Amino acid sequence: MVPGIYIHLPFCTTHCVYCPFAISTNMTLQEEYVAALLREIGEGRTVDTLYFGGGTPSRTSIEHLAMLASRFSVQGELTLEANPEDVNAESVAAWRDIGVNRLSIGVQAFNDSELRAIGRVHDATQARNAVELAVQAGLRVSLDLILGLPQQTPERFRDSLQQAIDLGVGHLSLYMLDLDEKTPLQVQVARGRTTVPEDDQVANLYIEAVERLDRASLHQYEISNFARPGEESRHNLRYWRREPYLGFGLGAHSFVDERRFANTRDIHRYIADPLAEDFSETLSDEERRHEFLFLRLRQSSGIDYRELVELCGQEAVEWTERGLREGWLRRLDSRVAFTPAGFLLSNDYISQLF
């Protein structure tokens, strides 16, 4: 099978207070880093999907992006993650010239106080302008929103969601804020320097958002992802379907022949040795079973009931009956899937099967 390719471009103007990803604000390392990437990639290949993630790939020069893209013949989808402040007519034209046909824009919110609270560089006006420009340019456009931010009220979140809908994007990713350990925001909350909305409020707004997006023809196809028909992220579907993919760059993960491995998160070590790994594991039969169930059930299409019973036996029968009765599962013909409320506690529910 033709693999999907992920390329990690870690450079950011600032380090957002909620971000746990492998990033660097030292732009002087870009030349050396791209040279290391090219050594890791090696010979060119034909691929189905290519995804430039980060970090902030739109901070990478067009010359470097072009060098990286030229290593691949992309048959389908070429996605670039971008921040609103980097999106203008010139940059969009340059990205299209190297083959980008899908832009994922990190909006996070259309409210200036929320954006300031998480250290974003752009404001709401820049975000709207960036999305409008990308849509008008004919690119497939996705935008990110975060639910549960500091300074966020139900009214502000509803306004951000409506603005996203009104902009006419084909895809929206809605993430619930995760206070990853040792991020600056987690430390601020733990020390009482800032607060985030209560869990119950976030849960209710998530369920409301699923319903509003569905009415706007942005249908949920995964816990955090919504798309108009045909606008689903082909690259991300690879992860959830356990299809092979290769990751290049700082901290990038790969999955090939039941082996998962990840590059080092130390940028200086990566530049010196782009094949340095942080971990590698070959999944056991039991681990594959767990992962298969988890990834199927995080999609709104769920899993075939007979397949579930085959994998989990009588426990699956009792689990399904309990979920349907309590309202966190639903039937989809021969399949079972989580309801929006079920997705909120899906990890806990799935763990009951093991």
Side-chain angles (χ1 to χ4, degrees), residues 31-44:
E31 192 83 33
E32 292 177 274
Y33 180 80
V34 171
L37 264 175
L38 292 169
R39 295 200 307 275
E40 184 188 10
I41 292 167
E43 295 181 2

Side-chain angles (χ1 to χ4, degrees), residues 257-317:
D257 296 330
E258 298 301 337
R259 186 171 81 94
R260 292 197 181 280
F261 49 101
N263 290 346
T264 178
R265 291 172 62 95
D266 181 324
I267 192 167
H268 296 288
R269 184 183 175 206
Y270 177 80
I271 288 171
D273 179 10
L275 298 180
E277 293 182 352
D278 264 0
F279 86 90
S280 173
E281 61 178 1
T282 299
L283 302 182
S284 67
D285 290 344
E286 186 66 7
E287 288 170 332
R288 287 199 293 270
R289 183 172 75 94
H290 288 195
E291 189 175 89
F292 177 84
L293 286 167
F294 172 77
L295 292 174
R296 282 294 176 90
L297 285 165
R298 71 176 288 156
Q299 299 174 66
S300 61
S301 58
I303 187 171
D304 186 271
Y305 178 66
R306 290 167 298 183
E307 197 169 26
L308 179 62
V309 173
E310 183 179 330
L311 288 166
C312 299
Q314 182 60 29
E315 181 59 48
V317 176

